[in-house]
């Protein structure tokens, strides 16, 4: 017979090994939920950090409480804690069954329910279930219920108590020393990995190369400076005087320019021994 439980109600457990299953409906914007357990001593606090069973420490050192992990069941997701009640140390009086979704509030978790099964019976109906509803909607961690000793046996109580500061705040209240790196890792798990799409590389044109001015070398003392190589001049039109050449280097004799006939090539220097050939009768004066 399955017991549908209300907040604050309890039910005795005949099973020696109990499987507590958290179940919720996934969807867009729904956070991932993690199940965990805290084993409390007579003072209502953990004896050491080893009494905290969660995703980074999935099994208690005693071997009597462990986390089975997540599963897809029909249209729901589950995360499970299993406990061998017959082997739990006598110093442990209560075992809290916790759901956490740090970074996202439980008002976005749809149809959260905790179900208890007899783990020794395959495909059995649940012994009890409790629909967990946050009181304010701002909770990021919830104590869904607890397994506790009553005389020689065990009972389950439906709780639904919430914390707005997540699993860290809840665990700290019961004596757990939560490392900041573990808290950051839990936040990453709750938020899920962020997928980054690399931007395509855009080839940018290279800027035009700027001409580099040549640095003149230091001339040797007492020698003429080398002149820069003159650019080739355009061929002057025929019949116009030719441009004069560049000034000669300092320290050398100047060569006198030869006079040019306008529009004609320069005449050669006359030979003093030159004589005209004998002239014919047509050229003799009358």
């Amino acid at each position: 017979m399955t017991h549908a439980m209300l907040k604050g109600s309890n039910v005795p457990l005949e099973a020696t090994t109990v499987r507590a299953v958290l179940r919720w409906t996934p969807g867009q914007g729904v956070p991932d939920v993690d199940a965990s357990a805290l084993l409390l001593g007579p003072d209502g606090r953990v004896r050491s950090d080893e009494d905290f069973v969660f995703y980074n420490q999935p099994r208690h050192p005693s071997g009597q409480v462990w986390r089975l992990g997540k599963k897809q069941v029909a249209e729901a997701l589950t995360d499970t804690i299993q406990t061998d009640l017959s082997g739990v140390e006598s110093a442990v009086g209560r075992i809290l069954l916790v759901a956490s979704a740090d970074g996202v509030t439980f008002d976005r978790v749809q149809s959260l329910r905790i179900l208890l099964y007899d783990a020794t019976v395959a495909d059995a109906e649940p012994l009890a279930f409790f629909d967990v509803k946050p009181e304010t909607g701002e909770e990021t961690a919830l104590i869904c219920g607890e397994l506790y000793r009553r005389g020689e046996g065990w009972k389950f109580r439906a709780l639904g108590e919430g914390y707005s500061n997540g699993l860290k705040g809840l665990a700290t209240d019961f004596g757990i020393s939560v490392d900041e790196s573990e808290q950051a890792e839990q936040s990453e798990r709750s938020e899920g990995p962020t997928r980054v799409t690399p931007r395509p590389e855009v080839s940018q044109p290279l800027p035009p190369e700027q001409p580099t001015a040549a640095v003149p070398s230091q001339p040797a003392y007492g020698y003429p400076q080398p002149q820069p190589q003159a650019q080739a001049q355009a061929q002057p039109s025929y019949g116009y005087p030719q441009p004069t050449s560049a000034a000669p280097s300092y320290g050398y004799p100047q060569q006198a320019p030869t006079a040019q006939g306008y529009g004609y090539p320069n005449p050669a220097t006359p030979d003093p021994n030159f004589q005209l050939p004998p002239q014919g009768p047509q050229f003799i004066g009358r």
Side-chain angles (χ1 to χ4, degrees), residues 276-285:
L276 294 174
Q279 301 180 358
Q282 67 272 25
F283 296 104
I284 299 175

Short mmCIF file of all heavy atoms in Angstrom, two decimals, residues 276-285:
data_model
loop_
_atom_site.label_atom_id
_atom_site.label_comp_id
_atom_site.label_asym_id
_atom_site.label_seq_id
_atom_site.Cartn_x
_atom_site.Cartn_y
_atom_site.Cartn_z
N LEU A 276 90.54 73.95 -99.73
CA LEU A 276 89.43 73.61 -100.62
C LEU A 276 89.96 72.86 -101.84
O LEU A 276 91.06 73.11 -102.32
CB LEU A 276 88.71 74.88 -101.08
CG LEU A 276 87.97 75.67 -99.98
CD1 LEU A 276 87.43 76.99 -100.55
CD2 LEU A 276 86.82 74.83 -99.46
N PRO A 277 89.24 72.00 -102.36
CA PRO A 277 89.67 71.29 -103.58
C PRO A 277 89.65 72.23 -104.78
O PRO A 277 89.01 73.29 -104.73
CB PRO A 277 88.64 70.16 -103.70
CG PRO A 277 87.44 70.67 -102.98
CD PRO A 277 87.96 71.53 -101.89
N PRO A 278 90.35 71.88 -105.84
CA PRO A 278 90.37 72.75 -107.07
C PRO A 278 88.95 72.91 -107.56
O PRO A 278 88.15 71.98 -107.57
CB PRO A 278 91.23 71.97 -108.06
CG PRO A 278 92.05 71.02 -107.23
CD PRO A 278 91.23 70.72 -106.04
N GLN A 279 88.63 74.14 -107.96
CA GLN A 279 87.31 74.46 -108.41
C GLN A 279 87.23 74.37 -109.93
O GLN A 279 88.15 74.67 -110.65
CB GLN A 279 86.90 75.86 -107.93
CG GLN A 279 86.93 75.99 -106.41
CD GLN A 279 86.52 77.38 -105.96
OE1 GLN A 279 86.25 78.24 -106.84
NE2 GLN A 279 86.48 77.62 -104.67
N GLY A 280 86.08 73.97 -110.44
CA GLY A 280 85.84 73.89 -111.90
C GLY A 280 85.63 75.26 -112.48
O GLY A 280 85.51 76.26 -111.80
N PRO A 281 85.62 75.34 -113.79
CA PRO A 281 85.53 76.64 -114.47
C PRO A 281 84.23 77.35 -114.14
O PRO A 281 84.18 78.57 -114.16
CB PRO A 281 85.61 76.28 -115.96
CG PRO A 281 85.39 74.81 -116.02
CD PRO A 281 85.76 74.25 -114.71
N GLN A 282 83.21 76.58 -113.79
CA GLN A 282 81.94 77.28 -113.51
C GLN A 282 81.99 78.08 -112.25
O GLN A 282 81.13 78.89 -111.99
CB GLN A 282 80.78 76.26 -113.44
CG GLN A 282 80.86 75.32 -112.27
CD GLN A 282 81.67 74.06 -112.60
OE1 GLN A 282 82.53 74.15 -113.52
NE2 GLN A 282 81.42 72.97 -111.89
N PHE A 283 82.99 77.81 -111.36
CA PHE A 283 83.09 78.55 -110.12
C PHE A 283 84.15 79.64 -110.18
O PHE A 283 84.36 80.32 -109.19
CB PHE A 283 83.40 77.60 -108.95
CG PHE A 283 82.30 76.61 -108.71
CD1 PHE A 283 82.44 75.29 -109.10
CD2 PHE A 283 81.13 77.01 -108.09
CE1 PHE A 283 81.44 74.38 -108.88
CE2 PHE A 283 80.13 76.09 -107.87
CZ PHE A 283 80.27 74.78 -108.28
N ILE A 284 84.90 79.79 -111.31
CA ILE A 284 85.96 80.79 -111.40
C ILE A 284 85.29 82.12 -111.71
O ILE A 284 84.45 82.24 -112.60
CB ILE A 284 87.00 80.46 -112.47
CG1 ILE A 284 87.64 79.10 -112.09
CG2 ILE A 284 88.04 81.55 -112.61
CD1 ILE A 284 88.61 78.61 -113.18
N GLY A 285 85.66 83.12 -110.97
CA GLY A 285 85.07 84.46 -111.17
C GLY A 285 85.42 85.04 -112.52
O GLY A 285 86.49 84.86 -113.06
#
